[in-house]
Amino acid sequence: MQDNVQPENAGIQKVGISALIGSAIEWYDFYIYGTAAALVFGTQYFPSFSPVAGTLAAFATFAVGFIARPIGAIIFGHFGDRVGRKNTLVLTLLIMGCATVLIGAVPNYSTIGVWAPIALTAIRFIQGFAVGGEWGGATTMVVEHSPRKKRGFYGGLPQMGVPIGLVLSTAVFSAVSALPDDDFMSWGWRIPFFLSALLILVGLLIRVKIEETPTFAEMAKAGGKAKIPFKEALVHGWKEILLTAALYLGHGVLFYVITVFVLSYGTSELGLPESLLLTCVMIAAGLEILLVPAFGALSDKLGRRTVYIAGAVGAIVMAFPFFAVLETGSPILIGAITILVITLCHAAMYGPIAAWYAEMFGPSVRYTGTSIGYQIGGAISGFAPMIAGVLVGTTGGASWPLGLMWMIAVGIGIAAALIAKETRGVSLTAKSHPSDSSATEGVEVENVESL
């Protein structure tokens, strides 16, 4: 089996665009939920709670999606490593899109009572379940199609989906939030969820036209599929799974705190205008769109670890200053520090990890291993807004616990980066892949097409 035998222009652009669009839709769906949880769900679905308790309950439903993600990673990882990357990605996108549209249609508490929060939580779980198989498949697809020396750059394309999804969701919510308050709270907030249907249609039309990766096709032809990818990933790649989860914590906690929790904290605790916070996040995310693949490309030159740690150190330095600047209320300073943290610190950490994750695992468990590690980290990070809310509530609105939580999470990411192997340029094939023993020995495989 040869590694990346295809020429660079043989479909990689189409695959990259497909992964980018799918990822953008994924994160659009997730961020509109996060924004709605911060601004709407507390009063619409938990009206009998106090304002603080209602917001915490809304953030709890946000976290439910992250609990579902590792489950989705296991299930869809199995299909991705057994049936193929492409078909599994079509399925995850379809399920994710349907769930998002249904969230917009859930009646509020005043209409159906307790069934409203129950339905919201259940559909959120389904949405998270589908997302669990999306990122690992998209990045695996791109990296396995990429030339060896440009995996960081092309792996950064699906990573662009995060800021793109954030820009789209923030722009749409900014538009509907301009409605009169009564209209926004009764029906305006639902529009972003319904608009997801159009994005899903575009994504599906593009995704069904891409080809399966050469790595998977050759592995299947040679009889190298794992019988139970989840089992093999745990037995032979458990260390890599833990490291990928820890790497996620480094960037995930700070990002969810800024893009989800601060919307609630800034408006309720600091009295900042909602429009100011949404605008700052949208501008920062717009700039990050270009910087994520740039940092991915830089990791092709300097190494995944070097670029990640550089961004993480910057994030550590900015932890306490970020909240101190929020307390000043200055739009210019708030905008500047938000842009700085997202475009430099977060982008440097997030840009290289698609290639880094995929390079850690052998082809027989690559979809499963990357998905599980990423989604475990995501599940833990998903509780960050809720934990932050508890910290603020128990300390009388003090911001120092938020900075401390931020620093601890990034510190965990730095520790993982120091432990993890530098994988830039490694082979992606089963016979020579050095980072995952399941790729070279001890793997149960079979040369059949059945599940």
Side-chain angles (χ1 to χ4, degrees):
M1 188 186 303
Q2 296 179 348
D3 186 36
N4 294 66
V5 295
Q6 75 280 11
E8 180 176 346
N9 62 352
I12 180 58
Q13 291 86 357
K14 182 187 295 184
V15 173
I17 292 173
S18 169
L20 168 61
I21 293 177
S23 178
I25 295 170
E26 167 194 347
W27 291 106
Y28 170 83
D29 290 353
F30 249 61
Y31 287 131
I32 58 173
Y33 191 99
T35 304
L39 303 178
V40 177
F41 290 163
T43 58
Q44 292 294 304
Y45 294 94
F46 304 96
S48 61
F49 291 16
S50 68
V52 173
T55 300
L56 289 176
F59 281 144
T61 67
F62 180 75
V64 163
F66 287 89
I67 295 175
R69 285 165 66 162
I71 301 173
I74 294 172
I75 301 300
F76 291 114
H78 174 88
F79 285 97
D81 284 324
R82 294 283 298 141
V83 178
R85 321 317 193 188
K86 171 187 172 179
N87 292 333
T88 305
L89 284 171
V90 171
L91 181 61
T92 60
L93 187 62
L94 183 61
I95 295 174
M96 184 173 62
C98 290
T100 302
V101 174
L102 286 175
I103 288 172
V106 175
N108 60 18
Y109 189 92
S110 64
T111 303
I112 60 174
V114 71
W115 289 107
I118 291 175
L120 179 69
T121 304
I123 298 173
R124 169 65 174 171
F125 185 91
I126 295 172
Q127 186 194 47
F129 174 75
V131 170
E134 175 68 25
W135 186 89
T139 56
T140 295
M141 175 75 77
V142 172
V143 173
E144 288 188 346
H145 270 286
S146 300
R148 184 192 296 254
K149 295 182 179 181
K150 294 187 178 181
R151 290 183 200 144
F153 170 73
Y154 284 112
L157 295 183
Q159 304 296 75
M160 292 169 65
V162 174
I164 290 176
L166 185 55
V167 167
L168 289 176
S169 65
T170 305
V172 172
F173 253 101
S174 295
V176 297
S177 65
L179 293 168
D181 289 344
D182 289 344
D183 291 338
F184 172 74
M185 296 301 291
S186 63
W187 55 267
W189 68 266
R190 300 179 185 274
I191 293 175
F193 290 89
F194 294 145
L195 288 178
S196 179
L198 298 177
L199 299 176
I200 294 296
L201 179 60
V202 173
L204 287 173
L205 290 175
I206 295 176
R207 186 160 284 183
V208 296
K209 296 180 180 181
I210 62 176
E211 298 180 359
E212 186 55 81
T213 73
T215 301
F216 179 84
E218 293 182 26
M219 178 187 68
K221 183 178 180 180
K225 295 180 183 179
K227 285 184 178 180
I228 308 177
F230 173 61
K231 172 187 174 183
E232 300 302 337
L234 287 184
V235 172
H236 301 285
W238 63 268
K239 180 179 178 182
E240 284 75 20
I241 289 175
L242 291 178
L243 289 172
T244 53
L247 288 170
Y248 189 108
L249 283 179
H251 64 78
V253 169
L254 74 89
F255 197 67
Y256 289 125
V257 166
I258 293 175
T259 60
V260 177
F261 172 74
V262 165
L263 293 178
S264 173
Y265 173 73
T267 54
S268 62
E269 293 290 333
L270 303 180
L272 297 173
E274 176 185 304
S275 59
L276 168 64
L277 299 174
L278 288 172
T279 300
C280 290
V281 169
M282 183 169 62
I283 293 173
L287 295 173
E288 190 184 26
I289 292 173
L290 298 177
L291 288 172
V292 164
F295 280 116
L298 188 62
S299 76
D300 286 325
K301 304 294 184 182
L302 303 180
R304 319 301 183 206
R305 178 191 291 124
T306 300
V307 176
Y308 180 96
I309 291 179
V313 170
I316 289 280
V317 172
M318 299 304 299
F320 288 110
F322 178 82
F323 294 101
V325 168
L326 282 183
E327 293 172 354
T328 69
S330 169
I332 295 177
L333 293 179
I334 293 173
I337 200 164
T338 301
I339 291 172
L340 180 62
V341 173
I342 290 180
T343 60
L344 295 182
C345 303
H346 180 264
M349 299 170 72
Y350 198 60
I353 66 168
W356 202 357
Y357 280 30
E359 290 166 344
M360 289 186 186
F361 297 91
S364 64
V365 297
R366 183 167 291 132
Y367 197 135
T368 301
T370 57
S371 295
I372 293 175
Y374 185 89
Q375 301 304 345
I376 288 176
I380 298 172
S381 299
F383 283 94
M386 186 173 64
I387 295 172
V390 172
L391 292 174
V392 170
T394 56
T395 59
S399 64
W400 67 263
L402 303 176
L404 182 60
M405 180 181 74
W406 174 327
M407 292 182 68
I408 292 173
V410 176
I412 292 173
I414 292 175
L418 292 172
I419 296 171
K421 295 179 181 178
E422 175 56 64
T423 60
R424 177 182 52 141
V426 301
S427 172
L428 294 181
T429 65
K431 291 183 179 180
S432 55
H433 189 279
S435 300
D436 182 6
S437 60
S438 67
T440 57
E441 59 182 356
V443 183
E444 288 187 78
V445 297
E446 60 179 0
N447 191 16
V448 296
E449 294 302 318
S450 66
L451 295 178

